[in-house]
Amino acid sequence: MDPIIAYQLRKNVANIIQQQREAVNQIIEELKDDHYKGIGIYGMGGIGKTTLAVEVGKLARDCGIVKEVIMVVVSQTPNIRKIQGQIADMLNHRLEEESTLGRAEIGIPHGDEHKACRIMLTTRQKDLCTAIGTKGIPLRLLSEEESSHLLRKYACTSTSDLCPELDSTVMNFVKECQGLPLALVTVGSALRGKEQVEWEAALQLLKKSQPFSPTYASKTIFSCLDLSYNFLENEEIRLCFLMCCLYPEDREISIEDLTRDWTGKGLFSDVDTIEEARARVCLRVGQLKSSCLLLDVGKEKIPENLLSRLVQLEELYMGWSFRLWQLADGSTEGSGQVSLSELMSLPQLNILCVEVSTLLAFPENFDLPSIHKFEITVGYHSAICYPNSRRFYLREIKTGIPNGMKHMLQFSKELTMFCASKVILKSIFDVEGGLNHLKTLEITANDEITYFIDEVLHSDAPLVLGSLKKLHLRTFKKLFSLSVLPIKPGSFQNLRILRVENCDNLFFLIQTSLLQRLSSIEEVHVYSCNKLLDIFQLNEAAFDEEQKLLSTLKKIWLARLPTLFEIWRVPKQLLLNATLQNKQCFSNLTDVLIRLTRIIGEEPEGVSANVQNGHVLFPNLRAVHIGSCRNLRNLFSARSLGKLEELKVNDMPNLVELINNEESEREREREEENDKIIVLSELKVLRITKSGSVERLCTEAFCMDLPSLEEFVLVECPKMADTVKRGLGSASNLLKAEIEEQSFFSTMAREVFSSKNLRGVAVGPHGKHSRAINLVWLVFNIARLKLPVMALKKITTRVKTFVTTPFKKRSKHYKLPPPQPEPPTPQISPPKSPEMSTQQQQIRPLLQPFLFPKAKSTVLPDPSQFFAHNLLSTPLPTNSFFQNFVLKNGDQPEYIHPYLIKSSNSSLSICYPPQFRNPSFVYQIFNADLTISMLNNPNPNVPHVISSFSDLSVTLDLPSSNLRFFLVRGCPFVTCNVIVDVALKISTIHAILECSWNATLTKYTIKLNNGQTWILYASSPINLSNDMNNITSSEFSGTIRIVLLPNSDYEAVLDRFSSCYPKSGNAVFNQPFCVEYKWEKAGWGDLLMLAHPLHLQLLSDRSGVTLEDFKYNSIDGELVGVVGDSWLLKSDPISVTWHSIKGVKEESCSEIIDALTKDVADLNSTLISTLSSSSYFYGKLIARAARLALIAEEVCYVDVIPAIRKFLKDTIEPWLDGTFEANGFFYDTKWGGIVTKQGSMDSGTDFGFGVYNDHHYHIGYFLYAIAVLVKIDPMWGRKYRPQTYSLMADFMNLSRRETSHYTRLRCFDLWKLHSWAGGLTEFADGRNQESTSEAVSAYYSSALMGLAYGDTHLVAIGSTLSAMEIHSAQTWWHIKEESNLYVEEYTKNNRVVGVLWSNKRDSGLWFAPPDWKECRLGIQVLPLLPITEVVFSDARFVRELVQWTTPALARRGVGEGWKGFVYALEGMYDKTSALEKTRRLTSYDDGNSRTNLLWWIHTRGDEAEECDRGNNFCWFRHYSL
């Protein structure tokens, strides 16, 4: 055989069908024979005849045996005309004749006169080859070895992906398929990625399948196809396959045909539009292709000069189906295809729908004068089938617009553009005469334009877009305003709808220059513009006496505009101008939808600050929907709302009244009593929800009459008593009433039920937080008031299912301690600062601690507002569980298990939170279930004060109320110390159904209408009385304790432990891998606390008594009761080692050394400062280099260590000695900690390091590099020991002394047993942490530093915190398939938590959405260290995690660095596959390297090693006392 042919043969056959090598050799030799008479390839169905023929045809052409290959399908009932047409198309030949006989010039050549042609046919019948005189070449069945190889190829990405346990099962499948390629491919595709149990089940199905025909081939193929069919994932896909089977054999089926057929047959029950159906068809077809049940067809091709002959053609629809038009410049792309110039030869063409891939296909003279309607799409877009206008859709246009196309643009009515540059836009709008037929203009994505109209639309035309009716701009990154220059009269005179969204630099939308031209504007929609200040700017020029400004405006819809200052800005002097009072500026406005974060308007003297902004009136306003406007206090003047039909208000926390009708004192005096009734005669719908400050519908001096009201909803508006008392007027047409507060019902019941048309009443809490309503109470009130209820069709009550499971049998070892005599009530005194033990006082620091230069931060908040004065001289916590209490206004809630606690100056609110759940996140909802304050407080605005704090508690004082709260984590009681005799007030947003008491007046049971029952215990008798929402007391001093009763069976337990309460709690490290909790308690009896799931795992036998059936709900899992005032938590020890636990095999060292040599050679200490001055990325880079030194030690290649040592010294020293100009470490005296130079000036720089965010992450990387450098250069370590220990102590300090320079364990939460990273930033959901692996690395690096310095205490503490962080990661971040910690929908959708908040679980990351699963995995792995093996010690979970992540790697743009971490985990159970993938990587995470990845994978699978903990020197002791 010719060498070239042999090479091509090896190349193709090896890749496609190497099993049929003998047949391929024979066919090639026959094709080269000059006496060739034809070849017939025969064999049973499914043996691969067609596949072989296609590949041999390509091979023959590539090797020069033939010039062209033509392939047609000749079915059992051949269509001769179709076959002739297919051959002609492939030859680019035009057939002139219409009859079959006349087209005989095209056919299948045969005979001696056509020896240059080679004919090869495929058939299942050998006799056919003989009958037509061709040589028959049989295809054999595959051997078992070949069958096994082919099956494995389609069942997995590589043969190593199938575990050895499947070998015997694979061979059983091979026997069942009996060497038939189609059967093997079908089975392999169906079982791709399946587990062993699914393989076994499939084998049984395959054995039981029966064919329709007894023949050997059909039996085997039927069985395999039946298996593949049954393995389709749902019934919808199976029905789609069966529908495809109804088409004739070898039919090419278009997506559009399938869309129409499948939709018409009702296959898709849950799609609403054709577009959705088409997308579903594409999805199902792709799935059937991947299962080898459908095959692809070649690209469509239309020969040249075909369309130009259709001279009678009137309508042409080619949207979706064809895009490959020949280019106008004659280039090769699309050659041989039809061209757009042919359309110019169709004089009757009046409707056109085409899609073109590029503007280069348009000829310069392109023009279609007869066209009436068209849709021309350039770039991919789902074009409509039947155009009803003249529309262009232009996507990502890179070149200028052809002249001929400009002529058509001039007469287009709709223009949609995506990703068009400023130059392209100008070229489009600069057409001669302008685009004054254009009615709709939509533009998406531009990064250049600042003033859209001024820069793009100004032209020499007499007016600009005079016919435009709709303008939609989306995602203009630099857009500042639409226009500032004068605009020609008549421009935009017909514009009716303006829509702008996602323009993050937009400050001002419509200024006066444009406003004067919008004479027809009806709707304005603005969404997601994060810097927008106002919508309309009205200056003196805008108020022309002859102009009714914006008189046509009907709708204003605004949403997600966090900085909006005003909707319409009117200068102060104009607002005060009496001539504007009667100006009908917005006389036709009918619909307002506003959903903003806030609206703040200037309030000049004498002008009402509301949505109306003074005297701008809306006499025709019909609908208003407004929500999330945090600062609005009122909305409108009643004088302008005569036609209002619908008013919906939601989430308006500061809104006091809806309608403000205040007038001057003189005018008010002239008001007659009858004029003080506000009649909204047209109002039909009134909904007010989640607006806790709303007190009334209108000004106090007025009453409301709503004669047309049909629907009234009042939900979560506890202050609306005034409105309730005055009623709604006649309300005779009321159809539906929904009232949350039961106490409101009695007042309004007669009005509500007097309506003869009433169809529904809902009384009780609203929505997803609903609890129970007493139905007997409702019926009683209806009867008591003798209400007419003949028309009432239903009474809606919302009942929450209570968990009433009784206690399980109490554990045998549990015995309630005998009651103790009650001591006298203790005197309440201010808490004392923690005192050192005698031993601690005797120990003095070994060395004077080092401090970095003092910082002058401009971004840190002032702590003096909320911390007691005596605490300000000590370091303060910056990542604590109560951090929200000391940030900004101090009024965001914090989760102090089991309650959400919110403090607001003179009061404290308690919430036992319900949860909101979906597959992407879970969070707890704050409702002020109970709020405690002083009755009639004369100074309600005095802020609360943190008077003391400890590891497990915080003491919060309300000075103006004389209240002190001991907020202790895990305490089921909220304890309040009333310091002096004061009257108390306990309020609720719910209705109080019952408040009962015991004989001694020391216990009160409070039942609310949300289904909750609370108990109040008092240290001495207290007299309480209540109304609908409030409980008040006589003067009282002493202690009260408030607790939720989640189950009536718990009441006896709560009674038993109600007299003992914790005042504070600390955590003590007395031995490695142990933490002991000790609570300071008061009162008498035993202490009852709650333990979360990780506590229960770690609790030792001597940690009190566990009440297994006493439980509270929590986002962290069930909280279980534990009796005892001290707990001991014990973790399994972990090995903190420099090197891998399992070691590197000798045969693996060479590959690691090769990578190591290159990575070390690339180190450049000069370059690093130019790459990054960020403390985070800089730390990752030096830690990466330190890894190379330790790997060099492990593979015994120490020659590179001197270079690494020099690099580390050159890069670390500038940060420690203050010579790094770009950045550096400084000491902050305000809070007590390290900040960076850049971070102290910009809170966003260094990922918020300057406001104490991510401290353990950043410093942890530095400590790792320092630990390694100290190890390889001890003299350097001694020189810089003060600096390194000071750096470490920033987040590792254990000292409680007032003279300490750093707060105690800055990031580590000793109750949750993991770290937080949020720093001094207020978050509604509390603290948060994203990367547990970086937290583990920080404490692990501290332990390594202890090893390097011989500090056993530092080793012990670092190891203990590492172990606890690992336990927490495995408990709360790692989500196993069988886990029941989180709700089912969240567990099913996630294998790891993205960001864990104290009050929320989020699937997304700070930098990536939830579907970037490779990032979610990687952020829980990096940096890759020996300790990583301990973090991921559960091999089964690792496999689940990798399998969950792997599909995400197919997404376009996935970073190589993130892939490396996925492969690293894969290496823990499939070393071979992971190595193969890792070797193909071309880049790595900036904290990782090729050397490190290879080291990791090569160290998998051997026994663990022990590590030496070092000697007894204790440099760390200074920071531990």
Side-chain angles (χ1 to χ4, degrees), residues 411-425:
F411 294 95
S412 63
K413 292 185 177 181
E414 298 181 31
L415 176 59
T416 300
M417 289 177 284
F418 184 85
C419 288
S421 67
K422 179 178 176 180
V423 173
I424 295 297
L425 289 173

Side-chain angles (χ1 to χ4, degrees), residues 191 254 318 358 372 387 398 425 435 441 514 518 647 710 750 830 867 902 909 982 1075 1127 1192 1304 1367 1389 1444 1478:
L191 293 175
S254 72
M318 297 179 69
T358 173
H372 177 61
K398 306 297 183 183
L425 289 173
L435 301 183
L441 174 60
L514 175 60
L518 300 180
L647 177 57
E710 298 178 356
R750 188 172 300 279
F867 282 99
K902 181 177 181 180
S909 298
V982 295
V1075 179
W1127 299 354
R1304 177 173 160 85
H1367 276 299
N1389 203 51
W1444 173 79
T1478 299

Side-chain angles (χ1 to χ4, degrees), residues 560-671:
R560 301 181 298 280
L561 307 175
T563 62
L564 191 70
F565 193 80
E566 294 173 294
I567 298 178
W568 26 79
R569 174 172 293 182
V570 182
K572 178 177 179 179
Q573 62 272 22
L574 290 179
L575 283 175
L576 299 178
N577 189 342
T579 61
L580 294 179
Q581 294 186 14
N582 297 318
K583 191 84 172 171
Q584 299 295 300
C585 298
F586 296 87
S587 56
N588 287 303
L589 189 64
T590 61
D591 193 353
V592 176
L593 170 64
I594 306 174
R595 294 192 178 278
L596 310 176
T597 303
R598 65 190 181 102
I599 302 178
I600 306 173
E602 183 182 6
E603 297 186 35
E605 183 179 356
V607 179
S608 172
N610 55 31
V611 170
Q612 207 173 318
N613 206 350
H615 300 286
V616 184
L617 305 179
F618 313 104
N620 291 301
L621 189 63
R622 299 184 183 278
V624 176
H625 297 186
I626 185 166
S628 301
C629 299
R630 301 287 178 177
N631 291 286
L632 282 184
R633 294 180 59 82
N634 50 65
L635 299 181
F636 297 97
S637 166
R639 302 299 188 221
S640 63
L641 298 175
K643 295 185 179 180
L644 188 67
E645 296 179 357
E646 185 174 293
L647 177 57
K648 296 183 179 181
V649 178
N650 178 59
D651 189 22
M652 302 284 285
N654 290 309
L655 190 70
V656 176
E657 60 190 8
L658 275 66
I659 298 173
N660 183 291
N661 209 50
E662 295 183 359
E663 308 198 19
S664 68
E665 291 297 326
R666 184 175 298 178
E667 290 172 336
R668 183 177 298 183
E669 291 174 1
R670 293 201 300 264
E671 287 280 3

Side-chain angles (χ1 to χ4, degrees), residues 1083-1323:
W1084 59 277
D1086 296 299
L1087 183 64
L1088 172 65
M1089 301 296 289
L1090 299 174
H1092 58 58
L1094 183 52
H1095 286 150
L1096 297 174
Q1097 290 180 41
L1098 304 179
L1099 274 174
S1100 71
D1101 295 336
R1102 62 183 182 88
S1103 296
V1105 179
T1106 302
L1107 308 181
E1108 296 175 354
D1109 297 311
F1110 184 88
K1111 299 177 180 178
Y1112 281 70
N1113 292 329
S1114 164
I1115 196 171
D1116 295 305
E1118 289 184 332
L1119 306 177
V1120 177
V1122 177
V1123 179
D1125 54 9
S1126 67
W1127 299 354
L1128 181 64
L1129 307 175
K1130 298 181 67 174
S1131 165
D1132 293 332
I1134 62 172
S1135 298
V1136 173
T1137 63
W1138 293 106
H1139 305 125
S1140 65
I1141 298 173
K1142 302 176 181 179
V1144 183
K1145 290 184 179 180
E1146 185 174 349
E1147 60 266 27
S1148 302
C1149 290
S1150 60
E1151 184 179 19
I1152 297 174
I1153 291 172
D1154 288 342
L1156 177 64
T1157 303
K1158 185 179 184 305
D1159 285 337
V1160 173
D1162 290 338
L1163 295 178
N1164 187 328
S1165 59
T1166 304
L1167 183 61
I1168 185 174
S1169 60
T1170 61
L1171 291 175
S1172 177
S1173 60
S1174 161
S1175 55
Y1176 177 76
F1177 292 114
Y1178 196 105
K1180 291 183 73 174
L1181 290 171
I1182 60 175
R1184 173 186 180 274
R1187 285 290 310 131
L1188 300 179
L1190 294 180
I1191 295 171
E1193 287 183 344
E1194 193 166 353
V1195 298
C1196 301
Y1197 191 72
V1198 297
D1199 294 350
V1200 296
I1201 290 181
I1204 300 172
R1205 178 170 58 239
K1206 182 179 185 305
F1207 175 86
L1208 291 176
K1209 290 170 69 174
D1210 291 345
T1211 53
I1212 295 173
E1213 287 179 5
W1215 285 79
L1216 299 183
D1217 59 26
T1219 59
F1220 186 49
E1221 294 182 359
N1223 208 344
F1225 293 127
F1226 289 79
Y1227 180 78
D1228 159 50
T1229 58
K1230 190 180 293 186
W1231 291 83
I1234 293 175
V1235 296
T1236 58
K1237 177 181 177 180
Q1238 293 182 358
S1240 64
M1241 297 180 288
D1242 183 350
S1243 61
T1245 304
D1246 286 343
F1247 293 97
F1249 192 94
V1251 289
Y1252 292 96
N1253 182 59
D1254 291 354
H1255 265 218
H1256 54 327
Y1257 294 170
H1258 297 223
I1259 298 176
Y1261 283 115
F1262 275 83
L1263 292 188
Y1264 187 87
I1266 288 170
V1268 173
L1269 184 53
V1270 173
K1271 180 180 187 295
I1272 62 179
D1273 192 344
M1275 291 189 66
W1276 184 94
R1278 285 194 292 272
K1279 177 181 177 182
Y1280 283 95
R1281 182 161 56 187
Q1283 291 93 325
T1284 59
Y1285 266 78
S1286 184
L1287 189 63
M1288 173 271 302
D1290 175 79
F1291 73 97
M1292 284 288 291
N1293 175 45
L1294 291 182
S1295 175
R1296 295 188 178 94
R1297 293 182 302 174
E1298 294 180 356
T1299 56
S1300 176
H1301 294 292
Y1302 300 100
T1303 190
R1304 177 173 160 85
L1305 290 178
R1306 183 179 308 281
C1307 301
F1308 196 86
D1309 185 328
L1310 285 162
W1311 198 79
K1312 280 296 299 295
L1313 300 176
H1314 64 74
S1315 299
W1316 298 115
L1320 297 178
T1321 303
E1322 182 189 63
F1323 295 107

